[in-house]
Amino acid sequence: MSTTLINTIEIIKAGTTKINDVDFDNLHFGEVFTDHLFECDFKNGEWQKPIIKPYAPFLLDPSAKVFHYGQAIFEGMKAYKDDNNDIWLFRPDENYLRFNNSAIRMAMPEVPEDVFMEGLNQLLKLDSEWIKKGKGNSMYIRPFMIATGAGVIANPSEEYKFMIILSPAKSYYSGEVKVLIAEHFSRAANGGIGAAKAAGNYAAQFYPTTLANKAGFQQIIWTDDATHTKLEEAGTMNVFFRINDTLYTAPTSERILDGITRKSLIDMAKRENIEVEVRPVLVSELVEAAKNGNLKEIFGAGTAAVVNPIIGFSYKEEYFELPKIENSIASQLKEKLTNIQHKLAEDTFGWTVKV
């Protein structure tokens, strides 16, 4: 698609706004959406004219391939408003690249960069009043693409819909998190789609996570599919382990998502002279470190929560409580990263991009 076309996005403004009905002090994550959405269809081998229009349900053929063969991908990102009312994105180029990597893996068309970026920028500007200033406030951004072509033949769709929707968010806090280390279930397998943000990855997690919830745990730390000896991700987040004063996290692979928060925390930790090792982490290492007192912290890393501390884990029906640490590495890194995102600290990495 040409830049000329994307610069002439059709914009249909909502006749009324929902913003006055929203309690911005008591937002539940991902449940409230702004007045508008961005949409661009792929038909006849090319992307069509994009449009921004009022947020509303839409119709799909019952035989649309997304329902039958699961061609669906998404991204998660955020925008922030500083004290000057300027809007900032955090590493949007990384989200764009990962989105298209997911599209390639799911046999879906890549979205042109100008469609993704300019569509997002125009949508944020139109619904800018929904982005509130102040530490802890943000706009959660959900770009996604689904297969809309009709027919139940098992092959890739020839038609797709790319959309962006916006949801105002407060600081995400899920309370104290205890995790169960997976001994049987796997999040992903070698050769599979674990590195893609495919909708099916998340659907497959729901059943084992529900079993963990019933056992009194909030999330699962996934292990490798072949041996269940290597620690991989925590729930829907990348995961870090602090043993003594070193942070450990698994390398990305076909099974592990290339998290943007993850790579940002690694770079930030190195800048702060915190030792980081990116390598396979064994379950046996974690258990041994917990038993001898060397395991200090476990925390998840992702867009929604940024950093989510884990207070304990269970493996083979043995529970290990982590020590309570003042001024933990998790809290330090979260504070420094969110200060950059909210433009309260200098962005020496060049991660923030003005809308």
Side-chain angles (χ1 to χ4, degrees), residues 288-301:
E288 182 182 356
K291 287 181 176 180
N292 63 28
N294 292 332
L295 179 63
K296 307 301 183 184
E297 298 180 63
I298 305 175
F299 57 90

PDB file of all heavy atoms in Angstrom, residues 288-301:
ATOM      1  N   GLU A 288      17.102 -26.405  44.009  1.00  0.00           N
ATOM      2  CA  GLU A 288      18.298 -26.405  44.844  1.00  0.00           C
ATOM      3  C   GLU A 288      18.549 -25.026  45.448  1.00  0.00           C
ATOM      4  O   GLU A 288      18.873 -24.896  46.640  1.00  0.00           O
ATOM      5  CB  GLU A 288      19.512 -26.849  44.036  1.00  0.00           C
ATOM      6  CG  GLU A 288      20.807 -26.914  44.849  1.00  0.00           C
ATOM      7  CD  GLU A 288      22.011 -27.317  44.019  1.00  0.00           C
ATOM      8  OE1 GLU A 288      21.840 -27.622  42.831  1.00  0.00           O
ATOM      9  OE2 GLU A 288      23.127 -27.313  44.576  1.00  0.00           O
ATOM     10  N   ALA A 289      18.392 -23.972  44.608  1.00  0.00           N
ATOM     11  CA  ALA A 289      18.608 -22.609  45.094  1.00  0.00           C
ATOM     12  C   ALA A 289      17.591 -22.235  46.160  1.00  0.00           C
ATOM     13  O   ALA A 289      17.907 -21.532  47.126  1.00  0.00           O
ATOM     14  CB  ALA A 289      18.554 -21.626  43.931  1.00  0.00           C
ATOM     15  N   ALA A 290      16.353 -22.711  45.993  1.00  0.00           N
ATOM     16  CA  ALA A 290      15.318 -22.434  46.996  1.00  0.00           C
ATOM     17  C   ALA A 290      15.645 -23.138  48.314  1.00  0.00           C
ATOM     18  O   ALA A 290      15.453 -22.583  49.398  1.00  0.00           O
ATOM     19  CB  ALA A 290      13.958 -22.875  46.477  1.00  0.00           C
ATOM     20  N   LYS A 291      16.150 -24.360  48.223  1.00  0.00           N
ATOM     21  CA  LYS A 291      16.451 -25.130  49.434  1.00  0.00           C
ATOM     22  C   LYS A 291      17.644 -24.570  50.206  1.00  0.00           C
ATOM     23  O   LYS A 291      17.666 -24.589  51.440  1.00  0.00           O
ATOM     24  CB  LYS A 291      16.704 -26.592  49.062  1.00  0.00           C
ATOM     25  CG  LYS A 291      15.445 -27.358  48.681  1.00  0.00           C
ATOM     26  CD  LYS A 291      15.754 -28.804  48.342  1.00  0.00           C
ATOM     27  CE  LYS A 291      14.472 -29.582  48.062  1.00  0.00           C
ATOM     28  NZ  LYS A 291      14.747 -31.004  47.716  1.00  0.00           N
ATOM     29  N   ASN A 292      18.651 -24.058  49.464  1.00  0.00           N
ATOM     30  CA  ASN A 292      19.845 -23.557  50.165  1.00  0.00           C
ATOM     31  C   ASN A 292      19.804 -22.057  50.443  1.00  0.00           C
ATOM     32  O   ASN A 292      20.778 -21.488  50.952  1.00  0.00           O
ATOM     33  CB  ASN A 292      21.124 -23.939  49.414  1.00  0.00           C
ATOM     34  CG  ASN A 292      21.203 -23.322  48.022  1.00  0.00           C
ATOM     35  OD1 ASN A 292      20.649 -22.256  47.766  1.00  0.00           O
ATOM     36  ND2 ASN A 292      21.916 -23.992  47.110  1.00  0.00           N
ATOM     37  N   GLY A 293      18.684 -21.413  50.095  1.00  0.00           N
ATOM     38  CA  GLY A 293      18.514 -19.992  50.416  1.00  0.00           C
ATOM     39  C   GLY A 293      19.097 -19.029  49.418  1.00  0.00           C
ATOM     40  O   GLY A 293      19.093 -17.810  49.652  1.00  0.00           O
ATOM     41  N   ASN A 294      19.582 -19.528  48.277  1.00  0.00           N
ATOM     42  CA  ASN A 294      20.181 -18.644  47.270  1.00  0.00           C
ATOM     43  C   ASN A 294      19.153 -18.051  46.308  1.00  0.00           C
ATOM     44  O   ASN A 294      19.466 -17.107  45.593  1.00  0.00           O
ATOM     45  CB  ASN A 294      21.244 -19.392  46.473  1.00  0.00           C
ATOM     46  CG  ASN A 294      22.458 -19.747  47.320  1.00  0.00           C
ATOM     47  OD1 ASN A 294      22.768 -19.042  48.281  1.00  0.00           O
ATOM     48  ND2 ASN A 294      23.143 -20.832  46.972  1.00  0.00           N
ATOM     49  N   LEU A 295      17.935 -18.603  46.269  1.00  0.00           N
ATOM     50  CA  LEU A 295      16.897 -18.062  45.395  1.00  0.00           C
ATOM     51  C   LEU A 295      16.257 -16.858  46.074  1.00  0.00           C
ATOM     52  O   LEU A 295      15.604 -16.995  47.111  1.00  0.00           O
ATOM     53  CB  LEU A 295      15.842 -19.124  45.091  1.00  0.00           C
ATOM     54  CG  LEU A 295      14.681 -18.661  44.206  1.00  0.00           C
ATOM     55  CD1 LEU A 295      15.169 -18.247  42.827  1.00  0.00           C
ATOM     56  CD2 LEU A 295      13.625 -19.762  44.084  1.00  0.00           C
ATOM     57  N   LYS A 296      16.466 -15.682  45.488  1.00  0.00           N
ATOM     58  CA  LYS A 296      15.993 -14.441  46.105  1.00  0.00           C
ATOM     59  C   LYS A 296      14.694 -13.928  45.499  1.00  0.00           C
ATOM     60  O   LYS A 296      13.831 -13.404  46.215  1.00  0.00           O
ATOM     61  CB  LYS A 296      17.066 -13.360  45.966  1.00  0.00           C
ATOM     62  CG  LYS A 296      18.449 -13.768  46.485  1.00  0.00           C
ATOM     63  CD  LYS A 296      18.437 -14.151  47.944  1.00  0.00           C
ATOM     64  CE  LYS A 296      19.837 -14.484  48.441  1.00  0.00           C
ATOM     65  NZ  LYS A 296      19.841 -14.959  49.841  1.00  0.00           N
ATOM     66  N   GLU A 297      14.543 -14.048  44.165  1.00  0.00           N
ATOM     67  CA  GLU A 297      13.375 -13.483  43.502  1.00  0.00           C
ATOM     68  C   GLU A 297      13.009 -14.282  42.265  1.00  0.00           C
ATOM     69  O   GLU A 297      13.871 -14.875  41.613  1.00  0.00           O
ATOM     70  CB  GLU A 297      13.638 -12.041  43.041  1.00  0.00           C
ATOM     71  CG  GLU A 297      13.948 -11.034  44.120  1.00  0.00           C
ATOM     72  CD  GLU A 297      14.198  -9.656  43.526  1.00  0.00           C
ATOM     73  OE1 GLU A 297      13.258  -9.093  42.924  1.00  0.00           O
ATOM     74  OE2 GLU A 297      15.330  -9.155  43.649  1.00  0.00           O
ATOM     75  N   ILE A 298      11.709 -14.280  41.960  1.00  0.00           N
ATOM     76  CA  ILE A 298      11.190 -14.705  40.658  1.00  0.00           C
ATOM     77  C   ILE A 298      10.192 -13.638  40.241  1.00  0.00           C
ATOM     78  O   ILE A 298       9.378 -13.195  41.057  1.00  0.00           O
ATOM     79  CB  ILE A 298      10.473 -16.071  40.729  1.00  0.00           C
ATOM     80  CG1 ILE A 298      11.375 -17.155  41.321  1.00  0.00           C
ATOM     81  CG2 ILE A 298      10.000 -16.490  39.336  1.00  0.00           C
ATOM     82  CD1 ILE A 298      10.650 -18.487  41.515  1.00  0.00           C
ATOM     83  N   PHE A 299      10.253 -13.215  38.993  1.00  0.00           N
ATOM     84  CA  PHE A 299       9.243 -12.259  38.524  1.00  0.00           C
ATOM     85  C   PHE A 299       8.976 -12.431  37.040  1.00  0.00           C
ATOM     86  O   PHE A 299       9.852 -12.796  36.265  1.00  0.00           O
ATOM     87  CB  PHE A 299       9.634 -10.808  38.841  1.00  0.00           C
ATOM     88  CG  PHE A 299      10.952 -10.345  38.291  1.00  0.00           C
ATOM     89  CD1 PHE A 299      11.043  -9.755  37.036  1.00  0.00           C
ATOM     90  CD2 PHE A 299      12.117 -10.477  39.048  1.00  0.00           C
ATOM     91  CE1 PHE A 299      12.257  -9.305  36.543  1.00  0.00           C
ATOM     92  CE2 PHE A 299      13.337 -10.033  38.566  1.00  0.00           C
ATOM     93  CZ  PHE A 299      13.409  -9.441  37.301  1.00  0.00           C
ATOM     94  N   GLY A 300       7.701 -12.192  36.680  1.00  0.00           N
ATOM     95  CA  GLY A 300       7.303 -12.204  35.289  1.00  0.00           C
ATOM     96  C   GLY A 300       7.487 -10.828  34.678  1.00  0.00           C
ATOM     97  O   GLY A 300       7.506  -9.821  35.387  1.00  0.00           O
ATOM     98  N   ALA A 301       7.614 -10.788  33.354  1.00  0.00           N
ATOM     99  CA  ALA A 301       7.801  -9.522  32.633  1.00  0.00           C
ATOM    100  C   ALA A 301       6.917  -9.514  31.395  1.00  0.00           C
ATOM    101  O   ALA A 301       6.971 -10.440  30.576  1.00  0.00           O
ATOM    102  CB  ALA A 301       9.269  -9.354  32.237  1.00  0.00           C
TER     103      ALA A 301
END
